[in-house]
Amino acid sequence: MATESIITYRRRYRSRAQLETVLDVLLLALGVAVVAVAAFGASVGAAIIARHQAQTAADLGALSAALHAVEGTTTACGHATRVVSANHARMVECRVVGLEAVVSVRRRAAGLAAGLPHALARSRAGPVGTDWPGRSTWSGRSTRQAG
């Protein structure tokens, strides 16, 4: 058995240095693959973080706009823009209808994910019970039947 492996070794590689060179190349290829997978994982992580940060900026901007909605659309959206900018995002849309505010923001990912499309987020804030298309109106009463 040991004789066969020595014969196979001698047929494939003429010297020990040639075998070591092949092993070095294989080890280098494995290292490059590990680094590529790690970079891809970091990019995905950065994109997910950017999405969460964009949603946070949109939520805080909508709350700020709703808080100042009684002062008018321009003032409310100005406050929302300042809050969104403080969260390193860019305002895409700000609408105030009555006491309800809708804010859309865009945020760029950092690091290797900077080349990916911007993270978009939208948030709505206002008094409880206002009717909004696609959302159910919360009446404050439980939907469970006593029994």
Side-chain angles (χ1 to χ4, degrees):
M1 192 71 156
T3 310
E4 289 180 23
S5 63
I6 292 173
I7 292 170
T8 304
Y9 164 74
R10 291 193 181 220
R11 283 184 188 158
R12 275 202 178 155
Y13 307 105
R14 298 187 188 268
S15 68
R16 183 174 177 89
Q18 189 180 14
L19 174 65
E20 288 176 355
T21 302
V22 169
L23 292 176
D24 288 344
V25 169
L26 289 175
L27 187 61
L28 179 65
L30 178 65
V32 168
V34 167
V35 169
V37 168
F40 176 75
S43 296
V44 169
I48 290 170
I49 288 171
R51 171 68 177 96
H52 288 282
Q53 290 172 338
Q55 189 62 55
T56 299
D59 291 343
L60 293 174
L63 287 170
S64 177
L67 181 66
H68 296 281
V70 295
E71 299 170 19
T73 301
T74 306
T75 304
C77 288
H79 283 283
T81 301
R82 282 193 290 281
V83 169
V84 167
S85 295
N87 282 281
H88 307 289
R90 219 174 31 201
M91 181 78 74
V92 174
E93 175 189 20
C94 179
R95 285 186 297 148
V96 177
V97 178
L99 296 176
E100 191 173 274
V102 177
V103 171
S104 297
V105 302
R106 177 178 299 213
R107 179 158 168 61
R108 174 177 234 140
L112 296 173
L116 295 174
H118 291 72
L120 297 172
R122 184 177 196 169
S123 188
R124 170 195 159 295
V128 173
T130 56
D131 195 17
W132 183 253
R135 297 190 186 233
S136 61
T137 303
W138 183 71
S139 63
R141 285 180 266 154
S142 175
T143 56
R144 290 181 118 180
Q145 297 287 333

